[in-house]
Amino acid sequence: MARPRYEDMRTEIIRHSLWSVLLYQALADRLGLSLKDALGGAALALDGPRTPGGLARLLSVTTGGAVTGVADRLEDAGLARRTRDPDDGRRVILEPVPENLAVLLAHLDRAARLAARTDGLSDGELSLLLGWLQEQNAAAAQDLTG
């Protein structure tokens, strides 16, 4: 027999995951971008430059036209710029344009303040949360890519 409290908590986890998506969609709308474009900009802001192929893998888009479209829209919005890889001039690198990422960075700053609410948790509790999030994201990515 299922534990009622357990089922209620699982439902709340799903509900809050959905709200996170809606918040990111609202941010993307505010920036005039698609959700994938905004997430690509966030990845560049958080992790720094990456190749279009690396961005494609992260966003679960094809490495051809789809990632080119994301890169084009990020560049058109002034959030990223294409540069040549200094080690291999044939490769393109997408770099964030920090001065134009203010709205996106403000949202990420809010997320950081929310993360600060974990300050009272033990290393074990944080490890459990992080592991769960990583497994959820990996499973979701696998579901999306087949």
Side-chain angles (χ1 to χ4, degrees):
M1 179 154 94
R3 300 170 288 183
R5 179 88 173 116
Y6 175 82
E7 291 302 323
D8 291 344
M9 287 189 288
R10 286 184 52 181
T11 299
E12 283 301 304
I13 289 170
I14 294 167
R15 179 176 290 112
H16 289 284
S17 294
L18 294 173
W19 276 109
S20 293
V21 172
L22 291 174
L23 291 171
Y24 274 100
Q25 182 63 61
L27 173 66
D29 292 345
R30 183 180 305 163
L31 295 170
L33 298 171
S34 74
L35 180 58
K36 286 207 183 221
D37 296 346
L39 292 173
L44 293 175
L46 289 170
D47 301 328
R50 61 176 64 224
T51 64
L55 190 61
R57 283 186 295 282
L58 177 72
L59 299 175
S60 298
V61 298
T62 60
T63 56
V67 76
T68 298
V70 171
D72 288 346
R73 289 185 296 275
L74 288 173
E75 200 167 39
D76 290 347
L79 302 177
R81 66 178 150 251
R82 288 177 172 99
T83 61
R84 292 282 171 201
D85 184 332
D87 297 325
D88 181 351
R90 297 169 295 174
R91 273 183 12 154
V92 171
I93 302 290
L94 291 170
E95 293 183 348
V97 180
E99 61 271 17
N100 294 341
L101 287 166
V103 172
L104 193 52
L105 291 171
H107 178 73
L108 296 175
D109 185 53
R110 284 191 294 278
R113 286 194 309 270
L114 288 174
R117 293 182 179 166
T118 62
D119 286 350
L121 299 179
S122 70
D123 287 353
E125 290 166 326
L126 281 174
S127 179
L128 177 69
L129 284 173
L130 179 59
W132 184 84
L133 288 168
Q134 290 170 330
E135 288 177 25
Q136 284 294 101
N137 288 336
Q142 189 173 26
D143 288 346
L144 292 173
T145 59

